[in-house]
Amino acid sequence: MSKAKIKRYRCAECGAISLTWSGRCQTCGGWGTLFEEKEEDLPGRPRESYAKKITLSEVGEIRRFPTGIDELDRVLGGGWVEGGVVLLGGEPGVGKSTLLLQSAISMAEGGKKVLYVSGEESPSQVAMRAKRLNARDGNLFLLCTDDIDEALQAAGDVEFLFLDSVQTMRDRDEGGWPGSPLQVRVVAQKCIELAKALGLPTVLVSHITKSGQIAGPKLLEHMVDVVLFFGGDKTSRFRVLRSEKNRFAGCDEIGIFEMTERGLAAVFDPSKVFWNEMALSEPGVAMGVMLEGTRPLVSEFQALACATPFMYPKRTARGVDLNKLHLLLAVLERRANLSARNFDVYVNIVGGISTKDPGVDLAICMAIASTITDKPIPRDVCFLGEVGLSGEVRPVARAALRIREAERMGFKKIVMSRYEKGEKSCNIKQIGVESLKEAVRMMLS
């Protein structure tokens, strides 16, 4: 019996299937996301299956391979995983290709055969960057092409595959330009199939949109095992690597790098990056200890309040969620009698880092209170605590770890929740407060 060709349309955003084409997906509401998909099937005859069921006891341990970069290993949970597919996104020029090329060079020097596929640059461009990174090993192979079939064919005899980038590769058998939702999905699917079949650790570089999301269908993030974001202010020499998804480890760790002439260098004492250690106290500055994964970071929180003649004052936050800023301003007004209705308020975390840690609420509130009252906070004081809507200062996770970091950085006092059970120390005085109003009265009266 001849094969029957079934014409159907798949949404590139949500994967929904429709038998008729429409300009708008009926499932997710996306416009222009339906693309034709041809499926060949043999009616009346079951497909042959080559999959084999096994018991859990037959499954071996996960094999990890160090990347050669300590900060990258920290974020990944120990290194590349056999058969794992990693998606690395970031702004143009932030250093994604440099980071992967450094890892490729390090593994090649360790005796691993690595293939670096570039669909964006010529061989001379990649070689120039590799020479700047002191690449000398012969186990690093370079292939510059935009054909995914050529790239995967060349990857059959290597131990690691880096592909830069998934938006520049194309499948000749599919329609659409490189970077289109259909092409991105097909290219990623072929890479994943090869990685799982050969146990080949694979890294795919991805572009991002103006809103900071991975370019292409959202399905791409669901298909891969790990999603990493590499970012930072381009005017700063520091870069931050975050994990948004990780099937093999936790996704709350960050890696901090410094961009140098010889590539990216790991920052082993990040607290010094986010604190300028000024001896002079200025209004609107408060110190706090944030926690990123298992790493405590002493950070400087800055706030500026400027009188405004307009009815609707401006609120700007950098490194802090804007809704969190609105919430803390409301708590300050209602519970601590500090109104910012007549001020434009700006909040910033020094160093370009972002955080969602509730343990820095007290530090943000104290910085805002300091700039509104125009009274400085002593530089040897650090703040630790979550602020609730009723104005109470609540305990935070891993307080002992944060207190030790504040002590290491030379602080003499730390203001925190009265109910916090921290370790007693003779080098730093732990001051317990019950409410935000009490902390403001204590520091700024």
Side-chain angles (χ1 to χ4, degrees):
M1 183 180 294
S2 62
K3 294 183 179 180
K5 294 184 178 180
I6 303 174
K7 181 182 291 188
R8 65 182 190 178
Y9 301 86
R10 180 184 293 272
C11 175
E13 292 293 334
C14 65
I17 297 174
S18 174
L19 296 180
T20 59
W21 184 87
S22 175
R24 183 172 184 266
C25 175
Q26 300 300 319
T27 302
C28 67
W31 290 93
T33 58
L34 291 178
F35 291 88
E36 182 180 346
E37 184 180 74
K38 293 182 180 180
E39 180 184 13
E40 294 187 355
D41 198 1
L42 293 175
R45 179 182 174 186
R47 287 183 176 180
E48 296 183 5
S49 175
Y50 298 98
K52 179 184 177 182
K53 58 181 179 292
I54 58 176
T55 62
L56 289 177
S57 60
E58 297 179 79
V59 181
E61 294 291 332
I62 293 180
R63 293 182 58 195
R64 290 187 179 272
F65 306 92
T67 65
I69 303 175
D70 293 338
E71 291 294 284
L72 183 55
D73 286 337
R74 171 193 289 270
V75 177
L76 290 172
W80 309 121
V81 175
E82 182 181 22
V85 180
V86 178
L87 184 66
L88 175 64
E91 291 279 354
V94 76
K96 303 184 298 297
S97 300
T98 300
L99 177 65
L100 292 187
L101 192 56
Q102 279 187 233
S103 177
I105 293 171
S106 178
M107 290 186 296
E109 290 176 348
K112 304 292 185 181
K113 296 179 65 176
V114 183
L115 175 62
Y116 188 95
V117 180
S118 177
E120 301 178 341
E121 300 175 288
S122 65
S124 59
Q125 289 176 306
V126 180
M128 181 174 60
R129 187 188 307 116
K131 290 178 181 178
R132 179 167 57 88
L133 299 175
N134 296 324
R136 297 181 298 271
D137 198 273
N139 287 326
L140 177 58
F141 301 92
L142 173 64
L143 176 64
C144 294
T145 180
D146 65 348
D147 191 314
I148 187 60
D149 292 324
E150 292 180 358
L152 298 184
Q153 184 177 3
D157 59 346
V158 298
E159 297 172 84
F160 292 90
L161 172 62
F162 296 90
L163 194 146
D164 185 10
S165 66
V166 68
Q167 278 83 14
T168 59
M169 306 301 291
R170 67 178 303 177
D171 187 337
R172 304 292 181 182
D173 298 330
E174 298 291 342
W177 292 96
S180 64
L182 178 61
Q183 283 286 347
V184 170
R185 182 177 62 82
V186 172
V187 168
Q189 183 62 41
K190 287 194 171 185
C191 292
I192 293 172
E193 290 177 355
L194 180 72
K196 303 303 181 185
L198 302 182
L200 179 68
T202 303
V203 185
L204 309 178
V205 176
S206 175
H207 302 164
I208 64 172
T209 62
K210 293 181 180 179
S211 61
Q213 302 297 318
I214 294 291
K218 189 67 176 179
L219 183 64
L220 178 61
E221 297 179 48
H222 294 281
M223 295 168 64
V224 298
D225 300 308
V226 181
V227 179
L228 304 178
F229 277 92
F230 195 48
D233 192 342
K234 290 184 180 179
T235 60
S236 172
R237 66 182 187 275
F238 297 106
R239 301 289 187 266
V240 178
L241 180 67
R242 293 180 178 272
S243 173
E244 296 291 330
K245 171 187 174 182
N246 196 335
R247 289 175 177 165
F248 311 114
C251 57
D252 53 358
E253 292 285 357
I254 67 169
I256 302 175
F257 300 85
E258 181 180 5
M259 182 66 76
T260 67
E261 294 181 356
R262 294 294 181 182
L264 291 162
V267 177
F268 297 105
D269 193 0
S271 290
K272 294 187 178 296
V273 174
F274 306 113
W275 181 30
N276 58 15
E277 300 185 68
M278 290 177 56
L280 181 64
S281 298
E282 291 289 343
V285 178
M287 304 305 300
V289 186
M290 68 176 68
L291 191 68
E292 295 293 339
T294 59
R295 170 182 285 180
L297 304 176
V298 172
S299 303
E300 181 177 321
F301 296 84
Q302 298 178 340
L304 180 64
C306 300
T308 176
F310 301 106
M311 184 178 299
Y312 301 102
K314 187 176 182 180
R315 308 289 187 240
T316 302
R318 183 181 180 188
V320 181
D321 183 57
L322 186 59
N323 292 327
K324 170 60 75 69
L325 175 59
H326 289 156
L327 185 148
L328 295 179
L329 286 172
V331 174
L332 275 169
E333 179 174 350
R334 187 69 178 87
R335 306 300 181 185
N337 299 324
L338 284 176
S339 176
R341 293 186 181 184
N342 299 323
F343 296 95
D344 290 335
V345 178
Y346 307 88
V347 172
N348 174 50
I349 303 179
V350 173
I353 194 171
S354 299
T355 184
K356 295 181 180 179
D357 181 14
V360 300
D361 289 355
L362 184 58
I364 298 173
C365 287
M366 294 305 299
I368 297 173
S370 174
T371 186
I372 291 176
T373 60
D374 200 28
K375 295 180 179 179
I377 297 173
R379 295 295 291 180
D380 61 348
V381 179
C382 189
F383 297 93
L384 179 62
E386 178 183 357
V387 176
L389 290 179
S390 62
E392 79 279 12
V393 178
R394 304 173 64 87
V396 299
R398 300 189 179 181
L401 187 64
R402 303 185 199 223
I403 293 172
R404 286 197 297 269
E405 180 68 9
E407 181 182 356
R408 186 183 71 86
M409 297 302 294
F411 289 96
K412 302 301 181 183
K413 301 176 184 178
I414 183 166
V415 180
M416 57 187 188
S417 172
R418 181 172 297 172
Y419 308 104
E420 193 73 76
K421 297 179 180 179
E423 295 180 353
K424 298 300 180 182
S425 173
C426 59
N427 297 324
I428 186 169
K429 182 180 179 181
Q430 301 176 22
I431 304 174
V433 295
E434 190 168 347
S435 65
L436 176 60
K437 186 175 182 179
E438 182 182 350
V440 172
R441 186 187 304 116
M442 181 186 301
M443 291 289 106
L444 302 175
S445 59

